[in-house]
């Protein structure tokens, strides 16, 4: 079986370094925040080109704390509306709800899968205060269009960059430095993955950084002195240590993902399979390689029978989830078509050329 994503093999490259780092970690006794988190925050800021990084427990919490910090700073209030793509993982929508804000779902561009900028303005109301952009599957959204629209309407822009670590926009800036603030997930399967849950916020806003830093740590800047009603949403120090080891290889891994993607794009010649849009730039890091087919069950079974593992990102759109039943009435045909037809095929920086060729041949005989 050609695995969709072989995490043990990806992390095996670092096993000796992980073991050595763990022994150091075990002996130094600094298990919460501390030097490893400080080091990762500094290094990730340098990597993204931002002034600040705040290590957070996971990607969902990173998004929630951005919104909660903006509320603490008086930029948002309960009930404000946040524009968000209808075509996304449910965490993007949940973050808005958990922050006592109202998500307004907007259809995607059917080619890029990201939010369709031309459809945003019709959803802006007197209650709209922010746009949450999702760089879905690792491809950057149209940030020029979104930022211009936000500027015209005096809206905040937040990036959900969970799937786009390292992606570069046309201006040379990376994901995480393309809006007012950005949330990252380092879930193990991400391009930069920890060995458990982990996340971060990046921003150039000093006041926002201070508010998030306090909120993640019981609302405290100084131990036992609590200035805000906070949470326990800190980046785990051991996960920060592992991320510090892996971060220097992120660009090389992303380049390898793009190389695999180009092999697929050039090699797959089957009218039954719609390949993803890619302009050839560094704006896509191919967190996943997503194709569309009309009969998904037949396609998945076919690949399974040929020993190719697949996943579906994502089988049910947020507005059709039971948890979000209040949104079930929405008519979002583009989103629903995408969620009905997409299949993710194997993609990783360690996928061998021989396996890629096998997959291409299998796809072409479907």
């Amino acid at each position: 079986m050609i695995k969709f994503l072989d995490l043990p093999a990806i992390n095996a490259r670092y096993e000796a370094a992980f073991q050595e780092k763990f022994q150091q970690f075990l002996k130094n006794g600094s298990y919460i925040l501390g030097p490893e988190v400080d080091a990762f925050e500094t290094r990730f800021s340098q990597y993204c080109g931002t002034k600040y990084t705040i290590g957070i427990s996971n990607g969902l919490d990173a998004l929630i704390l951005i919104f909660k910090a903006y509320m603490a700073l008086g930029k948002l209030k309960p009930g404000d509306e946040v524009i968000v793509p209808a075509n996304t993982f449910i965490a993007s929508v949940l973050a808005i709800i958990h922050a006592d804000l109202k998500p307004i779902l907007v259809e995607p561009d059917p080619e890029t899968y990201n939010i369709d900028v031309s459809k945003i303005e019709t959803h802006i109301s007197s209650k709209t205060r922010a746009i949450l952009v999702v760089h879905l599957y690792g491809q950057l959204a149209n940030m020029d269009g979104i930022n211009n629209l936000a500027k015209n309407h005096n809206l905040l822009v937040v990036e959900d960059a969970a799937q786009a670590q390292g992606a570069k926009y046309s201006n040379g800036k990376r994901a995480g430095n393309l809006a007012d603030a950005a949330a990252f997930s380092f879930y193990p399967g991400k391009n930069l993955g920890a060995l458990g849950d982990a996340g971060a916020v990046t921003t150039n806003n000093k006041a926002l950084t201070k508010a998030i830093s306090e909120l993640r740590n019981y609302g405290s800047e100084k131990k036992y002195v609590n200035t805000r009603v906070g949470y326990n949403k800190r980046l785990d120090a051991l996960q920060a240590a592992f991320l510090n080891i892996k971060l220097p290889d992120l660009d090389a891994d992303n380049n390898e993902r793009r190389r695999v993607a180009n092999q697929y794009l050039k090699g797959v010649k089957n009218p039954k399979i719609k390949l993803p849009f890619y302009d050839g730039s560094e704006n896509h890091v191919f967190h996943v390689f997503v194709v569309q087919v009309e009969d998904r069950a037949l396609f998945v079974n076919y690949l399974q029978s040929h020993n190719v593992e697949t996943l579906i990102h994502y089988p049910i759109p947020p507005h059709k989830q039971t948890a979000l039943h209040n949104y079930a009435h929405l008519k979002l045909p583009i989103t629903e078509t995408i969620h009905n037809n997409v299949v993710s095929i194997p993609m990783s920086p360690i996928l061998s050329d021989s396996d890629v060729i096998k997959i291409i041949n299998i796809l072409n005989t479907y």
Side-chain angles (χ1 to χ4, degrees), residues 87-118:
N87 177 46
T88 185
F89 180 52
I90 195 171
S92 309
V93 181
L94 292 178
I96 299 169
I97 294 171
H98 281 308
D100 299 317
L101 302 166
K102 182 179 179 181
I104 303 297
L105 279 58
V106 176
E107 287 267 61
D109 178 327
E111 292 301 310
T112 67
Y113 302 120
N114 285 323
I115 193 167
D116 189 336
V117 179
S118 69

Side-chain angles (χ1 to χ4, degrees), residues 210-276:
K210 185 175 184 294
I212 293 174
S213 297
E214 292 170 359
L215 286 170
R216 74 170 176 180
N217 190 33
Y218 299 101
S220 174
E221 183 178 24
K222 181 181 178 182
K223 194 168 185 177
Y224 302 131
V225 179
N226 304 81
T227 56
R228 302 183 187 279
V229 179
Y231 311 85
N232 179 1
K233 298 182 183 292
R234 303 170 298 213
L235 173 60
D236 183 82
L238 183 58
Q239 299 304 331
F242 294 149
L243 291 170
N244 280 325
I245 292 170
K246 296 179 75 172
L247 179 58
D249 291 334
L250 179 55
D251 282 345
D253 280 358
N254 284 342
N255 285 336
E256 192 60 23
R257 287 172 178 271
R258 282 188 282 260
R259 192 179 73 82
V260 171
N262 277 317
Q263 287 179 279
Y264 282 146
L265 292 167
K266 292 175 182 176
V268 177
K269 308 290 183 183
N270 189 332
K272 296 179 183 177
I273 301 170
K274 181 182 176 182
L275 299 172

